[in-house]
Amino acid sequence: MEQINSEGITKLALDNWATNHDGQNAKKPFNLGIVRDIYADIVAGRFSSRRLILLDYSQYLEQYLWPNFNVETSQFTELAMSVVALVNVKKRERVPVWDAFKEKPEFFPLFFKSVMDLCLSSSEPPGEENAQHRTVSLVEQCQLLLFLSHSVNSLEEDLIREQAQRIFGLPVWLSLSPKRLEVEIKKVPNLKKLWDKLLKKEQQKDEAAKKAENFYRFFMRSLMEKFQSALYSVPKDGPLAPDLQSYCEHFLTLMIDCQSALNTRRFFHAVLDDAHALVKCRLSPLFGRPEGRVFSQLVEALEFYSSYEITLTGNDMTEQERSTDHYNRMTALQRIIYSSFPDQEWSKKFATSAVFKLDSREALQTFFTGMNMDQLRQIADRIGVLGSSNIAVNAADSDGLSKAILCEVLVEYHEKRISMLERVNDMPIYPTEDMIWDEALVPEDIGNTAETMPLPKLHLQFLSLHDYLLRNFQLFRLESAYEIRTDIEDVVARMKPWKNDHGGVVFGGWARMALPVNHFEIWDVGKPHVGCKQPSRVRAKVTITLNVRDNIKSEWEHLRKHDVCFLITVKPTRTYGTPLDHQDHFINQTGLTYVRGCEIEGMLDDRGNLIDELTNERPQLHGETRTFRVWMDPNQYYLDAGNHANAPTENIYKSFNIIMRRRPEENNFKAVLETIRNLINSEWMVPDWLHDVLLGYGDPESAHWTRMPNKLPSLDFNDTFLSVEHVKACFLDQPLEFHTPKNLPMEPPFRLTFPVDSKDGGTKRTAEGEVVTAVPKTLVVEPYEPRRNSPYGVEKAKKNAVPFTPTQLEAIISGMQPGLTLVVGPPGTGKTDVAVQIISNIYHNFPEQRTLIVTHSNQALNQLFEKIMHLDIDERHLLRLGHGEEALETTKDFSRYGRVNYVLSKRLELLSEVSRLQTCLRVPGDVGYTCETAGHFYLYQVLKRWQDYKASVKRLSSSPTSPEEILRDAQVVRDFHASMASFFPEAPQPIFDEGQGSLEKNLNTAELCFRYIDNIFTQLEEFRPFELLRSGLDRTRYLLTKEAKIIAMTCTHAGMKRQELVELGFKYDNVLMEEAAQILEVETFIPLLLQKPEHGVNRLKRWIMIGDHNQLPPIVQNKVFEKYCNMEQSLFTRFVRLGMPTVDLDAQGRMRPSLCQLFSWRYKRLGNLPHTYRMPAFLTANAGFAYDYQLINVEDFNGIGESEPSAHFVQNLAEAEYIAATFMYMRLLGYPAESISILSTYNGQKHLIRDVLEKRCGSNPLIGMPHKVATVDKYQGQQNDYVLLSLVRTKTIGYLRDARRMVVALSRARLGLYIFGRVPLFKNSLELSPAFSVLLQRPTKFHLIPNESFPTERTLEATQSDSMVVMKDMPEMMSFVYRLYEQKVQLLRPLSHQEKDDGTSEDEDDEEAAPVTSEVVIEDEQIAGAIKDALENPGTSATPAAPAAGPQQFIPRSDLPFFPIRGDRGMTLIQDDAGVDEEEAPAANEARDGKEGKEADKK
């Protein structure tokens, strides 16, 4: 804060607009001079992010700039540019941007017009005639272009969409050349009418209105002309102005954004093509300069989207349509050339040649280069590609340059391009060294997110599903390359490659995940498939020596089939013993030359045979040498072979000297990438009702169940409702009509019949035009009798006991109906219960349908699956796929093999029942031997007797027949009753009533008996394939595709196994996704396509997505991909941003209502369930604390606040000590350790807190360790009674400005939340102000009540000011806890001695032994026992153990009254490798803090 407050900008803010520390807001008159001074400082700093973040933090835009923007001030450039700069930095920091403009939306068009004027202004110094006009520098113009890019990518905002419509709408075609306009209008027949209508309106406008509108219509054309002038001002050689280069790159980024969204591309594409912008970029001097590498990559990206195969209406062109269009262009060119130059011999030859000889780039360039300028112009004009502007860049251009541009235009228009599918199929799946260390493609510095990069972006809308998949494919591949780079740099640095005396390589270290390669050879290269260039397969052998520890040796020997490894070539130049400099470039130091990926096929035995990894007995291998057979990437091998043939160099595949493996959980990228590539190539399709929704077009409500044509009029709600009162409470605003068929009681279960009209309620207009409120249609509620399937009485099925709220019921209804359902579930609102009930209701309403459950994590999937297990669902229909099944809290096995074993055991059980039935029916033979014999028995014995019985009952109850028939029928009935009575001995006896008039009653009972028996044979018929299939694998496949009705898996498993599932014929009708807001876009999309279409139609009927976009998004390790490319955007979040209907759960039942108010502002409406106001746990105060939540201000300790021992590894020692003291205080009062969790916002602070606790409490039986010490990001989805939270930062807020992270942090506690942080830093944050305004209503000094013990009887409303103690700072808290600790120890010391003397126990003589004290009372038996053990056992100290000796970094702490620690008195700030628990610090957690965990390991 001292650094921030020392800035002059901050002082200006406090004096003019910002809220000061006392909560007062300075409202001085607007001073344009201040704006000019601040903007001059911004320009002088070249729009430094640090300065702009500081301004944004002070709410400069919200409190000063925009409130004072009006017609008069809009003419000042500094004001508009200041707004632009603040918008850009807000976008960069991922905080809400456009909300500030909604305060005065009427001025936004004026502001946008000012931005457009500035974009077209000159960057050159004005002449004397225009001296009053201020120029806009290239740096400022880059900011303007960046603002336009952000605007184009924010079309979901009404303010932006209105302005974009004026720029990119159909009137933009007024800037086209006449010939091109004619060509474009002919493409869509209906467009001619719209264009004529537009022209008619234009004629009715006056000149002033036309001029105003034409400014918007010709804006992009004018901007392109300005860019063209700037582009060709770049010299071919010599110095290159960085600002000019940056301006050109920003312009191309804007063009790419415009071309990659259908709404902006639809009409603008023709304008861009008509200006020949791409051709001029390729022929520009900057394109060929070494400094223009990023520019050339941006040109290639723009070329890809400009040539994307999509029609004007937004439909993908098929391969046939693309081929037809290409040949039509070529044949048209042949006709034009022949008709234009009929007397020329070359014209005749060209017109009569085959197209395949002419359509290559080389052939077309040769042909057009031989023509003169007039001939080229004539051909281009007839084709319609001449354009509306002069082909020459300017008047000074030579004819040669103009001719080159025109030739390139004609070549580009007619050449045969490589299709998108061919590009994807030819692309290597593994990243190589060229990609991994290309900073333009895989950047590492997060600061580059404000610059231009040739990377795909995930926006709200996509051109097509292929475009959607391709962007995700590229980003997923680049993200994987970043993770692989981190692993390679780590293992190579650990192995310490040095150059030996002979020029070879010697390794001075070792790595667990990598080993030197002894020998590598390619031994099998398969012939290419028909129509392919690449080999069908490339296999190799790699030999290594396992001279490592046994556990590491076992890890290498147990590499599984399809595990991915990387082969690395290093050629170090450093001599032996030279240390690695982490500041220098990694490649230069290590000599890393090549990286190639491979896939394990298996390990070879001593005879060279492949070892079967499925066998139980592995062969005994001798020695330490092991050879693995691997698959190489055929695409990469083909490229390497071609490069080697064209430029003979070293053979890459003979140079590998390191092989690296990766952890299995981090190594699934290849399977996911192959899945995406297969989807791009396959003839898959999504349901019609979902297609436009996925792409982000059309009506956002079109996929909602109320708009679906096949919505269901009535549904059975099984055990959803607990009573009729529950029904009424869920439909307070809906008229209900109760029906009671068959005189059934009005009690659950209920069936609901919905109104026919989906638009219930609302308003309607009468014939006279009067608007009146429409009467809601009536909802019919009727009970129904559950189907009984046995004579054993009413089955006691497992029933729901959750009283669902109205919004929860709304989510359940929407999930049961066909269509797309989005459920937004804030913390504690019962998302899982809603999901479980939806699954249960679908299962009972549609027993023939199959439901797929997908979650992000195994933990969430297991929690959901465990609840499903306790429902009234036959367990033979449940299946859990993936490796997380073993973590289920059940003794049953729900894996594929476990379910097969269950089916086989159930089969034996049912066959024994068949044998018993055979005995009761007195049928000879062994019919219960197999399912087949049982089926014959059912068909020829059971079913026949049942039909005879029904026929006899029917005759007996109808008109009288002959006495013989009556006797015969009566005997049939008696025999059947007797056999059923013997088969159901445990049913209520007598089963049948043999009295008069009981035929109908007995028939109903017989039907129950037959249903039970029929169910036995139905199951046996389903189990019959398990008899026919002999192998376990075939049985598991049949179970997966036919038997299971509810299948659960993670999104990762779906991505890895998609091809296998499709080939097996996997089918499903419904998809339910939990944690949908935490799943990457592509990982959400893949589960929709795990099945083949049936007759060209996808059978998917329901898609239920449950998540919370207000909490943390998916994990992306590379921050550039996360922010610049928007890769963190989940599909759930995109749907919400597009305005699709959501069901927002609005009542939480997890925590105290007071804790809920800390984050409820983030949601539309979030209340509390009634039990949170009456349960004792929520009404009782937290023992020892004056408040149930509190924000405690933590000042610097010894002048140090936050520290950063390594990059992004942020720590705060004062907060760590304060939290440790608070945890000790809670344990001394009797709080259970398992009820306390400690959270930190940074991974570095997590390690520091854990280190502090281990030193202070780890070996102390009185204190112990808390339930968990974790980061906020890692703890999402978990909860505990009491949470201690460290905010860490004291200089800048950093990524804590993301309100989603703060929502997670504030919603983890049920009963008590205590936050430790720098209050002055956080309280003025605009994004966090709703939460901190509530927190600051209470004191920021820690208020304690130490005379209590856990649990207390004090209520929340009760106050004890007389016994309250206020802690001023952390040292005082530490001193206080130390004294309290000593009192606890001394309290039990005489108790222990007395017990030793007289043999009395603590319980027997408690009153005599306990000294009288009003401050300390021990009631926790666990703590008392721990103290007793510590006092009696000399080997156990009741105080924390001394720090472990070793080469650790200590900081003297002699000024604090610490607990007595033998030896050194200090704290370890940085934890070494041995102290890091890999389970507690996975890569996903490290991703939140930008690799700090791994970098700390290195250092």
Side-chain angles (χ1 to χ4, degrees), residues 8-189:
I9 293 177
T10 302
K11 187 176 184 303
L12 280 174
L14 292 173
D15 293 340
N16 291 275
W17 68 84
T19 303
N20 57 30
H21 298 322
D22 298 327
Q24 303 296 323
N25 193 298
K27 288 291 184 181
K28 291 184 179 181
F30 178 68
N31 187 345
L32 185 61
I34 293 177
V35 177
R36 284 174 171 166
D37 292 341
I38 293 176
Y39 183 69
D41 184 61
I42 294 174
V43 174
R46 298 182 62 83
F47 294 87
S48 166
S49 298
R50 183 176 178 274
R51 296 171 184 267
L52 290 171
I53 290 174
L54 183 61
L55 283 169
D56 184 33
Y57 177 72
S58 68
Q59 303 179 33
Y60 184 44
L61 173 63
E62 294 83 1
Q63 299 292 342
Y64 202 66
L65 294 180
W66 188 245
N68 294 291
F69 188 91
N70 50 46
V71 178
E72 291 76 17
T73 59
S74 64
Q75 60 182 322
F76 299 109
T77 302
E78 295 85 356
L79 179 59
M81 286 300 305
S82 297
V83 175
V84 167
L86 266 296
V87 168
N88 290 340
V89 78
K90 279 180 176 289
K91 272 290 186 181
R92 180 183 183 277
E93 294 299 307
R94 312 288 290 180
V95 296
V97 176
W98 309 110
D99 293 343
F101 299 100
K102 296 178 181 178
E103 296 296 327
K104 295 169 59 177
E106 65 275 11
F107 289 109
F108 189 80
L110 179 62
F111 164 70
F112 205 86
K113 172 70 164 51
S114 301
V115 171
M116 296 169 65
D117 285 328
L118 292 172
C119 287
L120 300 179
S121 61
S122 173
S123 60
E124 300 293 333
E128 295 182 0
E129 67 281 2
N130 294 322
Q132 71 277 13
H133 295 291
R134 183 186 184 280
T135 61
V136 180
S137 66
L138 287 173
V139 177
E140 294 172 298
Q141 291 186 27
C142 289
Q143 291 292 315
L144 291 168
L145 293 177
L146 187 60
F147 173 84
L148 291 180
S149 293
H150 292 324
S151 300
V152 168
N153 298 328
S154 303
L155 295 182
E156 76 277 12
E157 299 290 340
D158 294 336
L159 292 172
I160 303 297
R161 190 164 56 250
E162 292 172 1
Q163 304 306 314
Q165 179 63 28
R166 303 177 70 179
I167 298 175
F168 298 102
L170 179 61
V172 75
W173 277 3
L174 290 171
S175 62
L176 290 176
S177 60
K179 186 68 175 180
R180 183 59 182 267
L181 178 62
E182 179 183 351
V183 172
E184 293 298 328
I185 291 179
K186 286 181 178 179
K187 291 181 179 179
V188 183

Side-chain angles (χ1 to χ4, degrees), residues 560-599:
R560 297 179 299 177
K561 189 176 182 179
H562 302 302
D563 281 351
V564 174
C565 294
F566 285 88
L567 297 161
I568 304 168
T569 299
V570 291
K571 299 178 180 179
T573 57
R574 301 178 307 146
T575 58
Y576 191 89
T578 307
L580 190 67
D581 184 3
H582 291 279
Q583 303 300 324
D584 195 3
H585 196 272
F586 179 81
I587 299 293
N588 297 336
Q589 296 186 83
T590 59
L592 195 148
T593 309
Y594 304 118
V595 175
R596 295 293 182 268
C598 63
E599 185 177 352

Side-chain angles (χ1 to χ4, degrees), residues 304-305 308-309 319 322 417-430 435 456 464-475 477 532-534 633-636 639 670 672-682 684:
F304 170 79
Y305 282 110
Y308 191 84
E309 302 96 347
E319 188 67 32
R322 288 192 294 268
R417 295 187 178 92
I418 300 176
S419 68
M420 179 192 67
L421 292 179
E422 291 176 317
R423 296 183 188 181
V424 173
N425 293 332
D426 293 342
M427 190 181 299
I429 206 76
Y430 301 109
M435 174 194 290
S464 66
L465 289 176
H466 280 99
D467 174 45
Y468 172 79
L469 285 172
L470 186 58
R471 292 194 214 182
N472 280 280
F473 177 85
Q474 293 171 332
L475 281 178
R477 186 166 175 257
C532 297
K533 299 173 293 184
Q534 302 86 354
D633 186 357
N635 288 353
Q636 186 64 56
L639 293 176
K670 179 180 181 290
V672 177
L673 287 175
E674 288 182 336
T675 294
I676 301 174
R677 186 157 67 180
N678 290 336
L679 285 174
I680 296 175
N681 282 275
S682 61
W684 51 265

Side-chain angles (χ1 to χ4, degrees), residues 433 436-437 483-498 505-516 566-574 578-582 585-596 657-661 1498:
E433 70 282 352
I436 293 175
W437 281 276
E483 298 173 7
I484 293 166
R485 177 173 72 185
T486 304
D487 291 340
I488 292 177
E489 291 179 353
D490 178 60
V491 299
V492 173
R494 291 178 184 272
M495 294 187 70
K496 300 178 182 178
W498 291 317
V505 183
V506 59
F507 295 101
W510 72 281
R512 180 173 192 155
M513 308 301 290
L515 286 172
F566 285 88
L567 297 161
I568 304 168
T569 299
V570 291
K571 299 178 180 179
T573 57
R574 301 178 307 146
T578 307
L580 190 67
D581 184 3
H582 291 279
H585 196 272
F586 179 81
I587 299 293
N588 297 336
Q589 296 186 83
T590 59
L592 195 148
T593 309
Y594 304 118
V595 175
R596 295 293 182 268
N657 47 27
I658 296 176
I659 181 172
M660 183 192 77
R661 61 188 174 93
K1498 293 179 185 177

Side-chain angles (χ1 to χ4, degrees), residues 160-371:
I160 303 297
R161 190 164 56 250
E162 292 172 1
Q163 304 306 314
Q165 179 63 28
R166 303 177 70 179
I167 298 175
F168 298 102
L170 179 61
V172 75
W173 277 3
L174 290 171
S175 62
L176 290 176
S177 60
K179 186 68 175 180
R180 183 59 182 267
L181 178 62
E182 179 183 351
V183 172
E184 293 298 328
I185 291 179
K186 286 181 178 179
K187 291 181 179 179
V188 183
N190 296 333
L191 207 56
K192 184 69 168 61
K193 295 181 180 179
L194 293 176
W195 185 253
D196 293 340
K197 187 177 180 181
L198 174 66
L199 294 180
K200 187 175 181 181
K201 288 184 178 180
E202 285 294 308
Q203 295 174 357
Q204 298 174 356
K205 294 180 181 179
D206 55 25
E207 291 300 322
K210 288 183 180 179
K211 183 177 180 181
E213 291 296 327
N214 285 340
F215 174 79
Y216 289 90
R217 297 164 180 174
F218 286 84
F219 169 73
M220 294 303 296
R221 188 81 183 209
S222 302
L223 191 62
M224 283 188 283
E225 292 175 356
K226 179 182 177 180
F227 159 74
Q228 174 183 297
S229 300
L231 178 62
Y232 277 86
S233 67
V234 175
K236 293 183 178 180
D237 48 29
L240 173 62
D243 293 342
L244 180 59
Q245 177 183 350
S246 178
Y247 174 79
C248 296
E249 292 171 356
H250 276 85
F251 178 84
L252 288 183
T253 302
L254 174 62
M255 295 298 101
I256 292 171
D257 291 338
C258 294
Q259 287 285 78
S260 58
L262 189 59
N263 286 344
T264 52
R265 170 197 175 93
R266 179 175 280 114
F267 303 113
F268 172 68
H269 172 69
V271 178
L272 179 69
D273 190 54
D274 194 48
H276 308 305
L278 268 173
V279 172
K280 294 175 182 177
C281 285
R282 277 200 300 271
L283 297 178
S284 66
L286 182 58
F287 188 82
R289 292 188 58 144
E291 303 94 327
R293 185 167 181 273
V294 173
F295 176 82
S296 62
Q297 290 175 329
L298 289 170
V299 171
E300 292 173 0
L302 179 59
E303 181 181 7
F304 170 79
Y305 282 110
S306 297
S307 60
Y308 191 84
E309 302 96 347
I310 190 172
T311 64
L312 192 65
T313 56
N315 297 323
D316 258 329
M317 294 179 66
T318 64
E319 188 67 32
Q320 180 65 33
E321 290 173 336
R322 288 192 294 268
S323 178
T324 302
D325 180 67
H326 167 70
Y327 283 103
N328 287 341
R329 291 187 182 193
M330 286 300 302
T331 53
L333 175 64
Q334 289 177 309
R335 290 194 298 269
I336 289 174
I337 288 179
Y338 182 76
S339 60
S340 300
F341 314 103
D343 300 331
Q344 301 293 330
E345 188 65 28
W346 53 266
S347 171
K348 298 178 181 178
K349 182 179 180 181
F350 185 88
T352 56
S353 297
V355 171
F356 76 90
K357 295 182 179 181
L358 306 174
D359 60 359
S360 67
R361 168 168 281 273
E362 293 77 12
L364 289 170
Q365 282 180 334
T366 302
F367 177 76
F368 287 122
T369 305
M371 303 177 70

